[in-house]
Amino acid sequence: MGRRKTREQVHGIFYPRSVAVVGTNRGRGTVPFDIFYNILKDGFQGTVYPVSPREKSVAGVKAYKYVIDIDDDLDMAVLVFPSTVAHLAMEQIGKKGIRSAIIISAGFREIGEAGMKREQEVKAIADRYGVSFIGPNCLGVINTDPECSFNASFARQMPAQGNIAFLSQSGALCTAVLDYALAKNIGFSKFVSFGNKADISEIDLLYYLKDDPKTKVILLYLEEVTEGKALMEVAREIITERGKPVLILKSGRTAEGATAAASHTGSLAGSDEVCDAAFRQAGIIRCETIEDMFNYAICMAYQPIPQGKRVAIVTNAGGPGVLATDRAVREGLTLARFSEKTTDILRKSLPHTANLSNPVDLIGDAKKDRYSAAVSSILGDDGVDGALVILTPQSMTDIPSIAEELCSIDRRFPKPLYTSFMGEADVSEGVEILQRHHVPHYPLPEDMCQAFSRACLFAELRDRDPGQPTLYDDIDTDGVDQIFAAVREEGQSLNLDQSFRLLDACRIPPLPYGLAGSEAEAAALAEEIGFPVALKVVCADVTHKSDAGGVLLSLDSTEKVRRGYQGILESVQSSVAGARVEAVLVQKMAGDGEEVIIGIKQDPSFGPVVLVGIGGIYVEILRDFAVRVAPFSRGEARAMVRSLKLFPLLSGARGREPRDVESLLTCIERVGQLARQRPEIAELDMNPLLVRTQGRGVVVADARVVLKKTFEGGYDENHHS
Amino acid sequence: MERGEIHSRVRKVIASVLKLAEEEVTAEANFIFDLGADSMQSLELVAAFEEEFGVEMDEAAALGVQTVDGAVEFISGILSTQG
């Protein structure tokens, strides 16, 4: 990726004062015409010029053969010529002194090598003239700010003005989203289809939106994360410094990347798991569907972010109230307990058959007055963080009046108020009123609860202190260098001895062991270490030692060790033809300790990531693991461990003695530091790491380390600290 | 056929299909960028060249030709093998 764009460069895309549409024509219903016509008809506050080789005018506006023929200064060009001549157009755009462009045309990188060459050529010309551009291969850009009112897209309609920004890698999705939003009265501040992002990227756009006063919530649709670290950084700034939620819908959840991984860490932490973890670390809310994205967006854009998770559910129907309650609790919300004052008001305002506690049932014949009394008193209660109001349409339900009243209450209380008018036809008038007044509405109460929960999650992620990573200064960096240098001479994988020495250099102790080159040495070592022992083959040619018959456990006599030594040599030789066995490792048997896996893998988008899992040999079946992008703080390490479903095994479930979780956290931090400082590590597995009882630390029983095939430097700046 | 004649006939065909004055059809002109041909007209041009010169053209290759000079070159090549 190139250098970051300046704020002014991105601003030029949204706020041009004069625009040329280069390559337009008079063909209604074609992209070149519709782009020009949309700019014209949607109230652009500047001047627009059609550039068309053959037309004298387009839509009644005088046309120019070339952009350089236009006498006036121009801020922007929207390029709609076919890709085959985009370079010619860009050359003229540059010569004309235009500094911003949108390249709508397709036929670039997305079609293969020939298109990639074209894209590079156009980008090179743009760079030479200092032109910043969106695209190519995109729907265009919309800025609803009345100061500019700029619709340089071939969308069917200009969206309403709003405080939600939408950025999309897919152009086709944009038109569907616009239509969806139109039906729900959702407005946008900025709307960008950024296509192939050959110049201005989503990261540049996010930095701009961070300080865009018209934008309160940012939505991003991504098909690939190309700059993971940069995305995390800018999102974190937007969320913590500006308090703006960033919601991302990332497609491609299927984990094709995990299949090729040789390590447990690699196979568990596929690209999608890493994406989930990275987004969470940055405070980004990941959405599953477009509908989810807008469900979350409207509540965060229209309502205050909840101060807490205590909700009050108000309903005129028992069943939906129970459904909402179930979902609210499942989403981690709590049902608020009302004050005596609130309960008094409810008692006086509601019939004696009404349920006065949470969820409040107003009874089926409830009209505006009951909703008004209940919702007002509840929102005035200090023990309530938000109200979730449900309505089902009975014959006597005055739907529009209730909707109007809820809008009025919403204006009076600085707390979130969400609604769910269930049904469709009968409630439509009320729904329209709610949407017009920006009171979030959800057809299903479950979706309303989920949206409230996500708003709470946003608050939690926004306010969380990510902490600083601990930098351990007792790492034997010379020792690590020597191991890596030796491995580089021989290949890619560290043998078991090298893996243990690497971890030992990082102050992560392996179980006591020694290397034997003969039966006699193995027997002597076993007697010295103390029975029972394990024997493990040391051979870089063997990827999975157990599968090759290279591991024997719980040998409790000298004779068994002698026989075991020979057995291992024979098994490995017959399993892996030509395997060069370097030694047999004699190791103290593990004894007690909870088995944990800790690993490193390199993610192509986010860089080094660390995985912590639990479940011993069943870790892949249980899939009980947590992932973080390195570096991370001890607090994050603690959150990782606590998020494991089997964490109670470590904390002392059912009378078990608690394990040394603090030592485990230190170990995770040290692995995080290793991952960050040694990017030449492609994969690392410590499996199992044994977490002993409190105060007795952790020990590594087995480990596997693979280095990158080619590595050209890139050490962390703190490598030698 | 001499190159000069090919050039003259190519210009005539282009002017006729794109409804332009012949003098607008300069040697370096790009069909799309300078003469404003759209995709349909590009196909019409290929058909018109085939008829004018009595040859058959590979459509994909023909549509890859971008300029008037390029068309003269392309047709000369075909005439030397087919004509």
Side-chain angles (χ1 to χ4, degrees):
Chain A
M1 276 294 151
R3 294 221 316 261
R4 288 271 86 86
K5 294 289 173 183
T6 63
R7 179 164 184 76
E8 287 65 35
Q9 284 170 320
V10 183
H11 190 75
I13 296 294
F14 291 116
Y15 287 90
R17 286 156 302 176
S18 49
V19 179
V21 180
V22 180
T24 187
N25 60 35
R26 300 174 74 154
R28 280 182 186 274
T30 65
V31 170
F33 176 83
D34 286 1
I35 293 268
F36 175 77
Y37 191 66
N38 278 349
I39 296 174
L40 199 66
K41 83 172 170 50
D42 284 327
F44 178 49
Q45 294 300 294
T47 315
V48 58
Y49 301 84
V51 174
S52 177
R54 305 193 56 202
E55 313 293 359
K56 294 274 178 272
S57 68
V58 175
V61 182
K62 183 196 168 190
Y64 297 81
K65 184 173 173 69
Y66 298 113
V67 72
I68 47 175
D69 294 342
I70 300 169
D71 289 332
D72 300 333
D73 289 338
L74 290 168
D75 291 335
M76 171 181 275
V78 182
L79 204 165
V80 289
F81 264 126
S83 61
T84 49
V85 296
H87 62 294
L88 300 174
M90 185 55 84
E91 187 73 41
Q92 287 203 351
I93 288 165
K95 279 187 181 148
K96 176 66 185 162
I98 297 168
R99 293 291 169 262
S100 303
I102 302 167
I103 307 179
I104 303 288
S105 327
F108 292 92
R109 180 195 320 207
E110 75 281 3
I111 62 159
E113 204 178 318
M116 174 63 95
K117 274 180 75 177
R118 263 181 221 148
E119 190 170 302
Q120 287 166 343
E121 188 181 2
V122 171
K123 163 82 171 140
I125 296 166
D127 284 350
R128 183 149 44 83
Y129 287 105
V131 181
S132 297
F133 66 91
I134 286 279
N137 184 30
C138 68
L139 180 87
V141 171
I142 301 172
N143 177 9
T144 61
D145 185 346
E147 190 188 310
C148 187
S149 190
F150 182 50
N151 178 9
S153 80
F154 55 99
R156 293 173 75 92
Q157 295 195 54
M158 173 97 157
Q161 200 190 344
N163 55 10
I164 298 171
F166 184 82
L167 312 175
S168 176
Q169 196 168 358
S170 158
L173 184 85
C174 288
T175 53
V177 161
L178 282 171
D179 195 41
Y180 178 90
L182 188 72
K184 292 183 178 294
N185 278 312
I186 298 170
F188 293 97
S189 55
K190 308 284 185 294
F191 197 97
V192 184
S193 155
F194 53 81
N196 295 1
K197 50 178 174 172
D199 189 48
I200 295 176
S201 71
E202 71 274 31
I203 309 293
D204 299 314
L205 292 164
L206 286 168
Y207 273 113
Y208 180 82
L209 294 172
K210 175 186 162 192
D211 291 316
D212 177 29
K214 303 286 180 187
T215 297
K216 196 173 166 194
V217 174
I218 301 167
L219 313 185
L220 174 58
Y221 170 76
L222 279 179
E223 285 165 357
E224 52 170 1
V225 178
T226 43
E227 296 182 89
K229 283 278 189 190
L231 178 62
M232 288 177 75
E233 205 171 305
V234 64
R236 192 82 208 133
E237 282 183 27
I238 292 169
I239 293 159
T240 57
E241 294 175 21
R242 299 292 181 270
K244 297 181 183 181
V246 178
L247 314 181
I248 298 184
L249 178 62
K250 158 79 175 57
S251 58
R253 267 199 176 272
T254 47
E256 76 290 340
T259 53
S263 67
H264 297 284
T265 303
S267 65
L268 285 169
S271 58
D272 203 57
E273 285 79 7
V274 173
C275 218
D276 268 345
F279 284 5
R280 180 64 72 99
Q281 251 174 288
I284 295 164
I285 305 287
R286 186 169 182 180
C287 310
E288 292 287 328
T289 62
I290 293 172
E291 192 170 20
D292 281 351
M293 185 180 238
F294 281 97
N295 279 349
Y296 308 158
I298 56 169
C299 66
M300 296 190 218
Y302 300 162
Q303 295 284 307
I305 299 295
Q307 299 285 318
K309 295 181 175 182
R310 300 166 304 173
V311 293
I313 296 169
V314 179
T315 177
N316 66 346
V322 176
L323 286 173
T325 303
D326 284 349
R327 187 56 179 263
V329 172
R330 218 173 77 204
E331 291 287 344
L333 305 175
T334 54
L335 288 194
R337 290 174 66 89
F338 301 143
S339 67
E340 274 185 33
K341 184 181 160 197
T342 303
T343 310
D344 268 354
I345 296 171
L346 293 175
R347 190 176 296 113
K348 284 175 191 155
S349 317
L350 303 180
H352 70 280
T353 48
N355 182 17
L356 306 185
S357 58
N358 202 358
V360 178
D361 188 347
L362 306 175
I363 310 298
D365 61 348
K367 293 191 177 178
K368 179 179 114 175
D369 55 334
R370 286 190 210 160
Y371 272 97
S372 179
V375 178
S376 301
S377 61
I378 281 164
L379 284 176
D381 189 323
D382 288 341
V384 175
D385 295 313
L388 307 177
V389 181
I390 298 166
L391 175 147
T392 57
Q394 276 70 256
S395 62
M396 71 292 293
T397 312
D398 49 351
I399 300 162
S401 304
I402 294 170
E404 294 282 6
E405 182 59 21
L406 291 173
C407 295
S408 161
I409 293 170
D410 179 55
R411 285 192 291 273
R412 296 204 304 272
F413 290 92
K415 285 185 190 174
L417 166 62
Y418 299 6
T419 60
S420 176
F421 281 21
M422 298 176 71
E424 193 152 344
D426 282 348
V427 296
S428 61
E429 194 183 341
V431 169
E432 200 277 324
I433 292 166
L434 295 167
Q435 289 174 337
R436 192 154 31 86
H437 288 88
H438 288 175
V439 173
H441 172 263
Y442 304 88
L444 299 174
E446 292 93 333
D447 290 342
M448 171 172 66
C449 297
Q450 189 182 39
F452 196 95
S453 163
R454 292 304 181 280
C456 292
L457 174 65
F458 167 71
E460 196 179 300
L461 297 174
R462 177 196 60 195
D463 301 338
R464 181 192 54 177
D465 176 10
Q468 287 299 314
T470 314
L471 195 62
Y472 292 95
D473 59 4
D474 56 355
I475 311 291
D476 176 9
T477 49
D478 290 343
V480 175
D481 286 340
Q482 281 166 18
I483 294 165
F484 284 177
V487 174
R488 281 271 166 256
E489 298 276 308
E490 296 156 16
Q492 236 188 297
S493 292
L494 276 66
N495 66 32
L496 187 55
D497 175 45
Q498 290 164 329
S499 299
F500 280 148
R501 284 196 284 125
L502 168 70
L503 295 171
D504 205 29
C506 298
R507 309 301 173 219
I508 301 170
L511 283 164
Y513 74 94
L515 295 176
S518 67
E519 261 183 53
E521 279 179 24
L525 272 169
E527 281 167 16
E528 184 188 324
I529 290 169
F531 292 102
V533 295
L535 299 186
K536 297 173 183 177
V537 70
V538 178
C539 176
D541 300 324
V542 174
T543 305
H544 295 293
K545 296 187 292 296
S546 299
D547 296 347
V551 178
L552 289 172
L553 301 174
S554 303
L555 304 179
D556 56 6
S557 71
T558 307
E559 186 48 35
K560 284 181 184 168
V561 169
R562 282 178 178 279
R563 272 191 275 126
Y565 182 91
Q566 282 307 329
I568 279 185
L569 291 190
E570 285 160 21
S571 298
V572 170
Q573 293 297 353
S574 67
S575 303
V576 182
R580 293 157 297 173
V581 175
E582 293 152 67
V584 171
L585 189 140
V586 183
Q587 190 173 36
K588 180 83 178 160
M589 272 305 291
D592 71 321
E594 202 58 59
E595 292 191 1
V596 165
I597 174 175
I598 302 182
I600 296 173
K601 74 163 262 186
Q602 295 291 336
D603 182 84
S605 304
F606 294 98
V609 298
V610 172
L611 171 141
V612 177
I614 197 163
I617 58 171
Y618 303 115
V619 67
E620 265 122 345
I621 299 168
L622 295 169
R623 297 191 67 76
D624 187 11
F625 64 91
V627 179
R628 291 292 186 280
V629 176
F632 48 81
S633 66
R634 193 175 183 86
E636 284 287 352
R638 194 180 299 282
M640 281 174 97
V641 172
R642 287 199 169 164
S643 72
L644 299 174
K645 289 190 277 292
L646 293 177
F647 173 67
L649 294 182
L650 296 169
S651 61
R654 300 184 71 89
R656 287 161 60 98
E657 206 176 329
R659 306 287 146 166
D660 197 340
V661 172
E662 292 307 314
S663 292
L664 173 62
L665 299 184
T666 303
C667 181
I668 296 168
E669 284 183 287
R670 285 180 180 279
V671 172
Q673 184 172 334
L674 179 67
R676 176 77 173 156
Q677 293 184 340
R678 294 295 186 159
E680 64 265 57
I681 296 175
E683 292 179 35
L684 178 150
D685 265 353
M686 278 190 269
N687 189 27
L689 175 89
L690 297 158
V691 187
R692 293 173 159 165
T693 49
Q694 265 180 358
R696 293 176 57 221
V698 295
V699 282
V700 187
D702 206 353
R704 187 164 176 279
V705 181
V706 180
L707 302 186
K708 286 180 182 165
K709 277 187 183 140
T710 52
F711 181 72
E712 296 170 354
Y715 286 106
D716 184 85
E717 62 280 9
N718 294 319
H719 170 50
H720 284 293
S721 58
Chain B
M1 197 182 297
E2 280 186 19
R3 196 178 166 86
E5 189 188 341
I6 297 172
H7 187 264
S8 162
R9 287 167 68 178
V10 162
R11 282 182 72 189
K12 276 194 172 61
V13 169
I14 295 169
S16 162
V17 171
L18 299 183
K19 298 181 179 58
L20 296 167
E22 262 187 61
E23 53 272 24
E24 290 180 74
V25 186
T26 59
E28 303 79 25
N30 181 294
F31 290 120
I32 299 169
F33 187 69
D34 299 305
L35 305 180
D38 60 26
S39 52
M40 192 57 78
Q41 288 167 326
S42 297
L43 288 170
E44 285 173 23
L45 274 173
V46 173
F49 287 141
E50 285 181 331
E51 195 179 320
E52 174 71 22
F53 293 99
V55 293
E56 278 189 30
M57 295 179 178
D58 176 79
E59 195 173 275
L63 289 172
V65 174
Q66 293 208 15
T67 61
V68 176
D69 252 358
V72 172
E73 189 73 25
F74 185 74
I75 291 165
S76 300
I78 290 175
L79 287 173
S80 68
T81 56
Q82 293 183 14

